[in-house]
């Protein structure tokens, strides 16, 4: 079993620096909130498909963690990634309020991708998922 913390972040500085393509350009500074975090745990299991717990009330197809997994799987086309997620379930323990603007979801996705790369143990996944994450 492996767990990671996805800390909340708060914007402590925001400055509009210009305008380009119909949007404002911004300069901002974020700080991590040490005491507030969601936890993602990869627990060994025998699963037929991608399994996520702790996101009750959110349909699987609209869950951002599931959508990131689907996108990464499609982009890397790696059997190792699929094997990892059918031998581990994702358990989310939410502490950051949803839609609070504290960035928990984005940090969770980053940790999901990093952990998948590390634990699926495939150089192909690592190269392709870095390229995918940069999109």
């Amino acid at each position: 079993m492996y767990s990671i913390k996805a800390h909340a972040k708060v914007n402590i500085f925001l400055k509009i620096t210009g305008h380009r393509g119909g949007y404002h350009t911004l300069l901002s500074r974020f700080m991590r909130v040490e005491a507030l975090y969601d936890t993602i745990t990869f627990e060994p299991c025998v699963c037929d498909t991608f399994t996520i717990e702790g996101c009750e009330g959110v349909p699987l197809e609209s869950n951002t963690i599931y959508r990131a997994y689907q996108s990464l799987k499609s982009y890397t086309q790696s059997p190792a990634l699929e094997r990892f997620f059918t031998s581990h379930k994702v358990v989310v323990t939410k502490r950051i309020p949803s839609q609070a603007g504290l960035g928990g979801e984005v940090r969770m996705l980053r940790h999901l991708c990093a952990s998948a790369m590390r634990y699926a143990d495939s150089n192909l996944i690592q190269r392709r998922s870095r390229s995918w994450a940069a999109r």
Side-chain angles (χ1 to χ4, degrees):
M1 185 166 62
Y2 175 72
S3 294
I4 50 179
K5 295 178 182 177
H7 290 271
K9 60 180 176 53
V10 291
N11 192 337
I12 61 170
F13 175 81
L14 178 66
K15 179 180 179 181
I16 297 174
T17 58
H19 194 265
R20 183 177 12 157
Y23 294 96
H24 289 102
T25 55
L26 304 173
L27 177 64
S28 64
R29 172 77 169 123
F30 289 93
M31 295 290 295
R32 183 163 98 166
V33 180
E34 290 294 330
L36 185 59
Y37 54 87
D38 293 338
T39 304
I40 305 168
T41 304
F42 298 96
E43 292 184 4
C45 75
V46 177
C47 309
D48 293 328
T49 62
F50 179 91
T51 303
I52 186 166
E53 295 178 356
C55 298
E56 289 75 19
V58 179
L60 185 63
E61 295 75 28
S62 61
N63 183 293
T64 53
I65 294 171
Y66 177 72
R67 288 174 34 211
Y69 157 74
Q70 288 287 32
S71 179
L72 187 60
K73 182 176 85 167
S74 173
Y75 190 76
T76 62
Q77 298 181 352
S78 170
L81 182 70
E82 192 161 359
R83 277 193 306 273
F84 176 79
F85 281 106
T86 54
S87 64
H88 295 82
K89 64 182 174 182
V90 178
V91 179
V92 177
T93 305
K94 292 284 297 162
R95 292 180 187 88
I96 302 172
S98 295
Q99 305 297 317
L102 297 172
E105 194 169 273
V106 171
R107 296 181 71 81
M108 217 183 304
L109 295 176
R110 191 187 85 206
H111 288 303
L112 174 79
C113 294
S115 296
M117 291 186 305
R118 186 177 310 119
Y119 292 99
D121 195 28
S122 168
N123 289 329
L124 175 65
I125 292 174
Q126 290 183 25
R127 285 193 309 274
R128 287 188 177 171
S129 57
R130 283 188 192 115
S131 172
W132 171 85
R135 298 185 308 166

